[in-house]
Amino acid sequence: MFRSVARSAVGKHLLRRGYGTVSLPDRKVAVLGAAGGIGQPLALLMKLNPLVSQLALYDIANTPGVAADVSHINSRSEVTGYVGEDQLGQALEGCDLVIIPAGVPRKPGMTRDDLFNINAGIVKGLCSAIAKYCPHALVNMISNPVNSTVPIAAEVFKKAGTYDERKLFGVTTLDVVRAKTFYAGKSKANVADVNVPVVGGHAGITILPLFSQATPKANLPEDVIKALTKRTQDGGTEVVEAKAGKGSATLSMAYAGAVFADSCLKGLHGVPDVVECAFVQSTVTELPFFASKVRLGKNGVEEVLGLGSLSEYEKEGLESLKPELKASIEKGIKFANQS
Ligand SMILES: NC(=O)c1ccc[n+]([C@@H]2O[C@H](COP(=O)([O-])OP(=O)(O)OC[C@H]3O[C@@H](n4cnc5c(N)ncnc54)[C@H](O)[C@@H]3O)[C@@H](O)[C@H]2O)c1
Ligand SMILES: O=C(O)C[C@H](O)C(=O)O
């Protein structure tokens, strides 16, 4: 264990807009895969979050340097680095929220499902440790393929007797971030005012942005909506190709992961009406897991919100995505139960 402490005068009693006007509780957050392309900027962003009091950074290598570096930032939380499996338990003990960006990223020509063989085992091992050391923590799963890694996590927790469907989330916030950016570009709306729900899953056509519900309303023509939908679905591939073998989205993902984690922490803190899209256990469709808007609260998911009204194009998209999403979910469940 490598501990670096740089406490600022910020302290525990913060009056910050959006965080309420009461003193802030102690919250421990762990990032698993913290030395990676996503993990490092995500560690930085979580260090800046005033709702975090302890930040545990875990990886199989290189965490001491990352932890020492991040710990010098004069924000509230105490940063501790953990390296190697022997230290995983210490990293997780007492955690309120665990964020998992551990695993390999895509290279050009690969699908997210091509990562399954390596990442499924990594996620399974990490979730077994979560079940043992912090069974009540919220889990934000970033590792791909999210459509399968979330079902794997659920099965691991079920086997351990710790599964609480309100506490497991596949992070699909990057799809929402992209949909907002691309929609703002076409509609000329101020991007800060834009909202676009994205439902389904997190791979190719399973990513279904609902531009018919986007605000502010822009009445974009059908061909533009189709192009925006395709760009959102292919957003990850756009970055993978631009990085030309050097990985996938890291900076935008760290931003999206930090936004989602902040919403989870606000929910735990009792901030009302915190709503985000996430891939969760669901009865919104016949599929056992599905991404849609969820209301976050003191125990994680408080309510899984329905899809609202869809355009004909979105209805078709919804039917088309179901077979692929179903197969990815079943693949994850099968893997977790056979090994
Ligand atoms: N959900 C999303 O929207 C989204 C977006 C971008 C990337 N991703 C996924 O996130 C994952 C990480 O991407 P990246 O670019 O940070 O990759 P990276 O290779 O840069 O970093 C991954 C880190 O995980 C660590 N790691 C490997 N096995 C581990 C284990 N057992 N325990 C802890 N750490 C372990 C590695 O040491 C490395 O530091 C990939 O699977 C990628 O596909 C998801
Ligand atoms: O595309 C990838 O492989 C990474 C991630 O899922 C993304 O959407 O950027």
Side-chain angles (χ1 to χ4, degrees):
M1 181 179 69
F2 180 92
R3 181 179 296 254
S4 299
V5 183
R7 277 194 187 279
S8 73
V10 177
K12 191 173 161 184
H13 299 276
L14 292 170
L15 303 178
R16 287 269 175 97
R17 199 182 299 157
Y19 294 96
T21 53
V22 291
S23 69
L24 296 174
D26 287 337
R27 296 273 181 228
K28 180 173 173 185
V29 174
V31 179
L32 311 184
I38 296 167
Q40 292 199 35
L42 181 58
L44 163 66
L45 294 171
M46 296 316 294
K47 175 72 174 111
L48 302 182
N49 191 315
L51 291 175
V52 182
S53 57
Q54 263 184 282
L55 183 59
L57 303 180
Y58 172 80
D59 205 303
I60 49 173
N62 303 326
T63 358
V66 177
D69 190 355
V70 169
S71 74
H72 289 183
I73 295 168
N74 61 322
S75 60
R76 178 188 179 207
S77 53
E78 177 181 322
V79 179
T80 314
Y82 301 89
V83 65
E85 236 182 294
D86 291 352
Q87 297 184 3
L88 178 56
Q90 282 173 281
L92 292 173
E93 238 156 26
C95 271
D96 299 287
L97 171 65
V98 181
I99 313 173
I100 312 183
V104 291
R106 282 199 285 165
K107 289 189 189 307
M110 292 172 83
T111 66
R112 291 177 183 81
D113 186 58
D114 292 334
L115 305 173
F116 186 98
N117 287 345
I118 297 178
N119 289 354
I122 291 174
V123 162
K124 193 175 175 207
L126 294 173
C127 288
S128 300
I130 291 170
K132 186 167 172 195
Y133 293 104
C134 55
H136 304 299
L138 303 192
V139 176
N140 289 182
M141 182 68 71
I142 292 174
S143 311
N144 270 317
V146 167
N147 292 353
S148 302
T149 53
V150 169
I152 290 171
E155 291 304 303
V156 170
F157 297 150
K158 279 180 201 165
K159 275 194 185 169
T162 65
Y163 183 52
D164 181 343
E165 71 274 14
R166 299 171 302 175
K167 299 193 169 181
L168 176 60
F169 304 87
V171 181
T172 58
T173 318
L174 182 53
D175 302 318
V176 175
V177 164
R178 288 175 175 145
K180 287 179 176 180
T181 303
F182 303 156
Y183 179 84
K186 289 290 177 197
S187 66
K188 307 290 176 232
N190 178 353
V191 71
D193 298 333
V194 168
N195 268 307
V196 186
V198 182
V199 302
H202 177 70
I205 63 159
T206 72
I207 300 167
L208 183 62
L210 302 181
F211 287 112
S212 70
Q213 297 176 20
T215 55
K217 288 270 170 238
N219 293 319
L220 296 172
E222 190 71 12
D223 62 320
V224 174
I225 296 292
K226 286 186 177 168
L228 281 175
T229 302
K230 178 128 181 47
R231 188 162 181 215
T232 305
Q233 292 174 333
D234 294 345
T237 306
E238 189 178 315
V239 178
V240 167
E241 281 170 3
K243 290 199 174 178
K246 297 270 188 273
S248 56
T250 54
L251 304 174
S252 52
M253 182 59 236
Y255 167 75
V259 166
F260 187 70
D262 179 60
S263 289
C264 287
L265 291 167
K266 281 184 177 144
L268 290 178
H269 189 47
V271 176
D273 286 325
V274 182
V275 174
E276 293 284 350
C277 289
F279 185 65
V280 295
Q281 182 174 310
S282 174
T283 54
V284 162
T285 68
E286 63 275 28
L287 300 176
F289 294 91
F290 198 82
S292 66
K293 284 191 204 170
V294 299
R295 189 181 310 285
L296 298 163
K298 290 190 172 175
N299 294 301
V301 175
E302 237 164 40
E303 188 186 1
V304 179
L305 302 171
L307 296 180
S309 83
L310 306 185
S311 68
E312 284 310 310
Y313 176 62
E314 290 160 358
K315 282 181 193 160
E316 280 168 29
L318 177 60
E319 289 318 306
S320 313
L321 73 79
K322 285 179 182 172
E324 181 182 330
L325 184 50
K326 182 170 185 282
S328 300
I329 293 168
E330 285 170 355
K331 186 172 176 178
I333 293 173
K334 189 170 166 211
F335 171 85
N337 287 310
Q338 80 190 357
S339 45

